[in-house]
């Protein structure tokens, strides 16, 4: 009778699996730190560090977005007539309950394509930007065809890793709304500014899952609006949401102003803020260079000036 191979001891198998998992996590950590030279784990609590590495594992998985252009409308002004397309960005793989829509003209798509050609001409050489027709651009049939073509165009360019992580992509999806929101904020129209910023935040979180620092300016602007609208608890929670990333990457531009805002909000809510106050003192006395002396609101209103 042929001899059967000896079964591996259960404890030994568990040890091997644990060792392999540790090696995999170490490799992911080294890869991540190489790609994110600003990352620092020394200032993070254990809970924040665990949360961070959960996010890193998620980043190593394939994150895919779907694009839909369900409708379009014709804008007929005194001196111009054009079509705007309604774009919806959808996170695939699970039910996406946060679906926000933006509107873009054909010229916005054309500008995006030209920007991408400057940096990624080889990567997108086989991707064709839908062309305008000589006549009939406002016919229902042509608008419907272009909706499908522009949707497919977004899908194709987003499939390219370096393109989907580019500034041009982020600007296409968020810059118009951000500029409008910051103009409203500077004008003291905080309710409308907050509505626009929250919409942008949803888009940024979908488009910038590879870099959590990209949402920090928007979170800080949201905090400023909420505080000026006297929604103190919401402002404090928004600040707490931003703080771990600011600590993690030592974003000194925001670190001092954010901590100062949180201390003030915490006092208003009669919460214990001694640890935040101590951290603010350490940041201000740090030998690693000066932190911003501006208030968070002063820092925020400088955006898109």
């Amino acid at each position: 009778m042929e001899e059967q191979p000896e079964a591996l001891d259960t404890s030994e198998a568990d040890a091997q699996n644990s060792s392999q998992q540790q090696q995999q996590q170490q490799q992911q950590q080294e890869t991540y730190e190489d790609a994110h030279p600003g990352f620092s784990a020394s200032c993070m609590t254990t809970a924040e560090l665990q949360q961070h590495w959960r996010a890193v594992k998620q980043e190593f998985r394939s994150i895919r977005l779907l694009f839909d252009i369900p409708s379009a409308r014709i804008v007929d002004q005194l001196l111009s007539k054009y079509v705007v397309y309604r774009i919806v960005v959808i996170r695939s793989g699970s039910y996406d309950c946060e679906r926000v829509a933006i509107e873009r003209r054909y010229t916005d798509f054309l500008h995006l394509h030209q920007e991408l050609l400057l940096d990624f001409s080889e990567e997108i050489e086989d991707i064709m930007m839908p062309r305008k027709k000589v006549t009939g651009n406002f016919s229902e049939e042509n608008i419907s065809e272009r909706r499908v073509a522009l949707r497919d165009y977004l899908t194709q360019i987003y499939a390219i890793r370096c393109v989907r992580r580019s500034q041009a992509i982020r600007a296409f999806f968020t810059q118009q709304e951000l500029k409008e929101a910051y103009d409203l904020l500077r004008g003291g129209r905080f309710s409308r500014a907050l509505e626009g910023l929250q919409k942008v935040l949803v888009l940024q979180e979908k488009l910038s899952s590879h870099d959590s620092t990209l949402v920090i300016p928007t979170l800080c602007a949201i905090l400023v609006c909420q505080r000026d609208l006297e929604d103190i608890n919401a402002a404090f929670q928004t600040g707490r949401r931003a703080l771990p990333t600011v600590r993690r990457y030592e974003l000194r531009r925001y670190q001092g102003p954010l901590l100062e805002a949180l201390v003030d909000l915490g006092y208003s809510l009669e919460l214990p803020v001694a640890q935040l106050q101590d951290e603010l003192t350490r940041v201000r006395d740090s030998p690693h260079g000066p932190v911003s002396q501006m208030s968070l609101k002063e820092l925020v209103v400088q955006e898109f000036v």
Side-chain angles (χ1 to χ4, degrees), residues 165-177:
R165 295 192 172 190
S166 67
Q167 168 61 24
I169 287 289
R170 295 196 299 273
F172 173 79
F173 282 100
T174 63
Q175 190 165 4
Q176 291 183 27
E177 286 72 21

Side-chain angles (χ1 to χ4, degrees), residues 67 69 127-128 130 145-158:
F67 302 96
I69 304 181
I127 300 177
M128 297 298 296
E145 289 178 358
R146 184 166 292 164
R147 280 197 300 109
V148 175
L150 291 173
R151 180 202 64 192
D152 293 344
Y153 170 76
L154 289 176
T155 300
Q156 289 176 327
I157 61 173
Y158 188 80

